[in-house]
Amino acid sequence: MADSERKRRSPRSRQTGAPTIADVAAMAGVSMMTVSRVINAEPKVRQSTRDTVNEAIAKLNYAPNRAARSLAGASQIRIGLLYSNPSEAFLSAFIVGSLEEAGRLDVQIVIQKVEEGEELAAAVERMVAGGVDGVILPPPICEAEEVLGVLRQSGIPTVAVATPKEQEGIATILIDDASAAREMTAHLASLGHERIGFILGHPDLAASKDRHEGYLQGLADAGYAYDEALVAQGFFTYRSGLDAAEQLLAQEKPPTAIFASNDDMAAAAVAVAHRRGLDVPGDLTVCGFDDVAMATTIWPELTTIHQPIAAMSRQAVELLATFLRNKRSAEVGEQRIMVDYELVRRQSDAAPRRRPATRVPATV
């Protein structure tokens, strides 16, 4: 990874002052969730781990922001985070960001998973009954009307993250998915790719539709005709990415580049390419979307759209904490906060191969 990329990803690149929970986690060799559990004196943490984390805290002189703590008042704010996400990498970044900001602002995050087969309305009703003051919703739950309906009726301020879908009474934090996908498609066209495959996200999510729309706009900008054979359905899961990539690469005239709607499916496309004996990016360019940890842990590292997932979840916690501590002096309402994305180039994209494939000389 380039030095500039490391700097962009480093927790300290966001600030130059006090150490963060990420710095403590790095020194102790544990996850940020573990550090949060130690700070909040939660059970089920081994004493040896607790000692290691506390030692790192002492060495770094780490402490949650005192000014934020002074705003807490007599009782601690409880913010619910309800999730059911097919991408573990996306979810991990989301939860870590919210926990980090919760520690800074001295609020409590109540994390609840929607169990398989459980009704969404029942899950959110259980969270509301638990006494949360506000709720954060990552995708895909952030677009589930049965969840949003219960929250509206309960009058609990809610922030939906990473969705372009506007919801009555719900604040949203998002990137411009269509523009990001359009930029990636234009990038692939600029490399010389004319047959650009696309793996769709889940058909029920607005972000999937916007990313597809951006792909179509990018093709039009490059003067390419739309070819439905170059588009395969995915569901944001690794498994669906395997199936979609197989469909695209089994064609008589396969694409020279595949742009997947998230990194899980892009990683699956790389795996399929390797299984077929294709070099990435020599024979096939593969690009993703989100820039989760997986993007830099596979080989080759993925060129992708960086969606600042952790930063968006931090902003959601801050928005709710500010609103709740101001005693509803400023409504969360239907605020729509657009944040920046970035196209990050790594090792999985290149110009399409123009030379004939190397052949092994026949033996005499």
Side-chain angles (χ1 to χ4, degrees):
M1 189 189 302
D3 289 341
S4 60
E5 176 63 9
R6 288 195 186 95
K7 182 177 181 181
R8 185 179 65 76
R9 283 183 163 277
S10 169
R12 283 187 177 274
S13 68
R14 295 191 300 269
Q15 58 182 351
T16 58
T20 67
I21 193 171
D23 298 323
V24 175
M27 177 174 284
V30 298
S31 70
M32 284 187 268
M33 282 191 252
T34 298
V35 175
S36 178
R37 291 188 183 106
V38 172
I39 291 172
N40 293 311
E42 294 182 13
K44 296 184 180 180
V45 178
R46 289 195 301 269
Q47 188 58 47
S48 59
T49 301
R50 197 180 300 278
D51 293 341
T52 300
V53 171
N54 285 330
E55 183 179 347
I57 290 172
K59 285 182 178 179
L60 291 171
N61 195 28
Y62 170 78
N65 185 283
R66 297 300 173 187
R69 280 186 175 275
S70 69
L71 297 175
S75 60
Q76 188 177 50
I77 289 171
R78 303 176 77 240
I79 294 175
L81 195 164
L82 188 67
Y83 75 90
S84 174
N85 196 298
S87 171
E88 292 184 3
F90 181 102
L91 184 63
S92 176
F94 193 96
I95 290 177
V96 164
S98 64
L99 288 174
E100 184 176 11
E101 189 66 9
R104 189 182 77 83
L105 297 174
D106 192 29
V107 301
Q108 182 182 3
I109 297 293
V110 180
I111 300 173
Q112 182 175 306
K113 178 182 180 180
V114 177
E115 300 297 339
E116 187 173 352
E118 182 179 13
E119 291 186 6
L120 291 176
V124 71
E125 285 169 0
R126 191 169 72 250
M127 174 169 278
V128 170
V132 295
D133 303 298
V135 173
I136 298 172
L137 300 174
I141 289 182
C142 58
E143 295 183 14
E145 186 54 44
E146 54 266 55
V147 170
L148 300 173
V150 172
L151 292 171
R152 288 192 195 99
Q153 290 178 0
S154 304
I156 293 178
T158 303
V159 180
V161 182
T163 173
K165 189 173 183 178
E166 296 186 33
Q167 300 281 1
E168 181 185 352
I170 307 295
T172 52
I173 299 175
L174 68 158
I175 65 168
D176 190 334
D177 291 275
S179 291
R182 184 177 188 175
E183 184 174 333
M184 180 62 82
T185 307
H187 167 66
L188 295 173
S190 73
L191 292 175
H193 293 282
E194 298 177 1
R195 291 186 62 77
I196 302 171
F198 186 72
I199 301 179
L200 295 158
H202 198 289
D204 293 340
L205 295 181
S208 300
K209 296 178 176 64
D210 280 13
R211 292 175 193 183
H212 184 218
E213 181 61 31
Y215 163 75
L216 296 177
Q217 291 172 349
L219 293 180
D221 293 342
Y224 297 161
Y226 172 68
D227 183 351
E228 66 178 9
L230 293 177
V231 177
Q233 184 64 61
F235 295 89
F236 286 134
T237 63
Y238 185 87
R239 175 72 255 181
S240 70
L242 292 175
D243 295 338
E246 286 283 6
Q247 176 185 328
L248 293 172
L249 294 177
Q251 298 180 37
E252 183 176 346
K253 192 176 180 182
T256 60
I258 291 178
F259 174 23
S261 292
N262 77 345
D263 292 336
D264 294 65
M265 297 190 298
V270 171
V272 171
H274 288 163
R275 189 181 65 78
R276 286 175 164 268
L278 300 175
D279 176 70
V280 178
D283 299 312
L284 177 71
T285 280
V286 178
C287 298
F289 202 112
D290 283 338
D291 198 18
V292 297
M294 180 184 291
T296 56
T297 55
I298 67 167
W299 178 84
E301 294 183 0
L302 284 174
T303 291
T304 188
I305 295 294
H306 175 72
Q307 177 172 216
I309 300 164
M312 292 161 77
S313 65
R314 283 195 297 269
Q315 192 166 3
V317 172
E318 181 181 24
L319 181 64
L320 283 174
T322 300
F323 165 75
L324 292 165
R325 282 175 176 151
N326 286 341
K327 307 298 182 184
R328 303 176 183 265
S329 62
E331 288 291 333
V332 170
E334 298 174 11
Q335 293 185 56
R336 191 170 173 84
I337 302 172
M338 188 79 72
V339 299
D340 293 334
Y341 65 85
E342 180 185 357
L343 193 160
V344 181
R345 287 198 69 183
R346 295 196 179 96
Q347 291 83 45
S348 67
D349 70 315
R353 191 188 293 277
R354 299 299 186 188
R355 61 185 184 280
T358 303
R359 297 181 180 179
V360 178
T363 57
V364 178

